[in-house]
Amino acid sequence: MTGIEFNRHIEKIPIYPAASTYAFEGELVKLASNETPYAPHPQVLEAVEAQLRTLNRYPDPEKSALRRRISERTGVPIGNVAVGNGSCEILLAAAAAMLEPGAEIVYAWPSFSMYPQLAAMSGARAVTVPLTDSGEHDLEAMAAQVTAATRLVIVCNPNNPTATALAPATIDAWVAELPRHVAVVLDEAYVEFSALQDPDDSLDLVGRHPNLVLLRTFSKVYGLCGLRVGYALGSEEFRLAVDRVRQPFSVNSLALAAATEALNHVDEVERRVEQTAIERMHVETELEERGLETTDSQANFSWVSLGDRDEAEVLRGLSERGVIVRGGTALGEEGHFRVSYGTRPENDRFLAALNEVL
Ligand SMILES: Cc1ncc(COP(=O)(O)O)c(C=O)c1O
């Protein structure tokens, strides 16, 4: 023990668990983090390379070029666009700006593993609302938990880890009924993959509800998670608040250049979404043939129910064969696992390993 005193919230903050890997000599198939298996667009890589010679300079604290480009793409005014070091940074900043002891945050569970951290770090009370039997958000039950102390409600759509999604019209009607003192964060990290909507469909919600914040990322379909960049569309008040509580240079110059260029290649995004839908169909059909149930995936991963099979044993078996997925127990519901879609050969290695394990 060092004798150093830490603040009283720190012990409550869960440590992000790395997906377990067992001894395996060959090439691992990593299907545990909902990454895309496709490399960034060549012109995105060129934009990054062009920035390498400016690394002696701090990045633009205003993130102007990227915010302008996002504003042009979405129609949301530039003053209402916040850019972060991954969308996670914006979630953390929202918690720092809005939560404190005595305040409440409402979110569904199981959902994204970052949300429990927001309450824990701020001393706010976390109010978790179970998903429905089909793994969807129970919006009515969530609304029933809103009190005068609620500052933040998060809806993860599509939801990580269950991959289910709600249509924007459903969320629109629901937000309209919530009191205005509550900020609603609509976390759309996987929205591009949803067959229930065009990603542009939910942009209208930002203009209609001043208390709504739409959270998006370049980590998933754009394939830039290694650089860490995400953004929020909401009120200017929200953007200024999250800018106040974090350092001005949190988004590095390579990330800014890459994300700005990535927005010029929407055709590439569409191609990836189509490819992902093909892989989703392949993986889900094969899982079904093995008698395993999945939820209705609108994302780049499946949430697989193991029935009465032993989760730890299945994970160990896959891992020993070099296939890494994320176990349900670590994500909030035992007896499941979440598998991201890789390339066809990766998915087939996962399915072959699963055959042996089952
Ligand atoms: C629902 C959800 N939101 C946000 C994120 C964070 O993404 P970023 O890489 O932009 O911080 C993730 C990443 O897995 C996620 O699953």
Side-chain angles (χ1 to χ4, degrees), residues 296-318:
D296 175 22
S297 174
Q298 300 296 329
N300 62 339
F301 54 91
S302 285
W303 180 239
V304 187
S305 168
L306 285 167
D308 17 341
R309 293 179 185 86
D310 186 86
E311 179 193 313
E313 239 172 68
V314 172
L315 293 187
R316 190 176 327 108
L318 289 174

Side-chain angles (χ1 to χ4, degrees), residues 1-83:
M1 293 291 274
T2 59
I4 296 171
E5 286 192 21
F6 295 94
N7 83 38
R8 64 192 189 295
H9 302 310
I10 199 155
E11 282 188 357
K12 297 198 195 113
I13 301 177
I15 293 176
Y16 185 71
S20 45
T21 50
Y22 291 76
F24 181 76
E25 296 287 308
E27 198 176 327
L28 289 175
V29 175
K30 294 183 181 170
L31 304 176
S33 300
N34 299 344
E35 298 153 338
T36 173
Y38 313 113
H41 191 280
Q43 278 172 267
V44 170
L45 296 179
E46 276 173 32
V48 170
E49 274 167 14
Q51 280 300 316
L52 290 174
R53 280 167 291 279
T54 71
L55 291 179
N56 54 316
R57 302 288 175 194
Y58 281 103
D60 171 16
E62 293 288 324
K63 306 148 188 100
S64 306
L66 177 56
R67 287 175 53 227
R68 195 175 319 111
R69 196 73 193 85
I70 293 170
S71 170
E72 286 162 7
R73 268 285 298 130
T74 61
V76 173
I78 187 168
N80 299 39
V81 178
V83 166

Side-chain angles (χ1 to χ4, degrees), residues 16 33-34 85-89 91 111-112 115 156-160 187-190 215-220 225 228-231 301 338:
Y16 185 71
S33 300
N34 299 344
N85 184 273
S87 50
C88 279
E89 189 197 33
L91 282 170
S111 196
F112 183 35
Y115 307 153
C156 187
N157 197 53
N159 187 45
N160 177 8
D187 185 343
E188 295 194 324
Y190 303 97
L215 201 60
R216 294 197 171 178
T217 183
F218 288 92
S219 294
K220 304 298 173 180
C225 59
R228 317 297 304 118
V229 51
Y231 62 97
F301 54 91
R338 188 192 68 195

Side-chain angles (χ1 to χ4, degrees), residues 169-189:
T170 306
I171 293 169
D172 188 14
W174 175 75
V175 177
E177 296 298 317
L178 292 177
R180 281 291 167 87
H181 74 270
V182 176
V184 179
V185 170
L186 183 56
D187 185 343
E188 295 194 324

Side-chain angles (χ1 to χ4, degrees), residues 102-120:
E104 294 173 1
I105 168 174
V106 178
Y107 52 86
W109 198 252
S111 196
F112 183 35
S113 57
M114 211 45 211
Y115 307 153
Q117 184 165 339
L118 307 182

Side-chain angles (χ1 to χ4, degrees), residues 181-212:
H181 74 270
V182 176
V184 179
V185 170
L186 183 56
D187 185 343
E188 295 194 324
Y190 303 97
V191 71
E192 293 86 356
F193 300 110
S194 174
L196 297 183
Q197 71 166 99
D198 183 284
D200 288 351
D201 292 348
S202 41
L203 295 175
D204 284 354
L205 303 190
V206 180
R208 272 213 290 285
H209 306 287
N211 55 332
L212 184 106

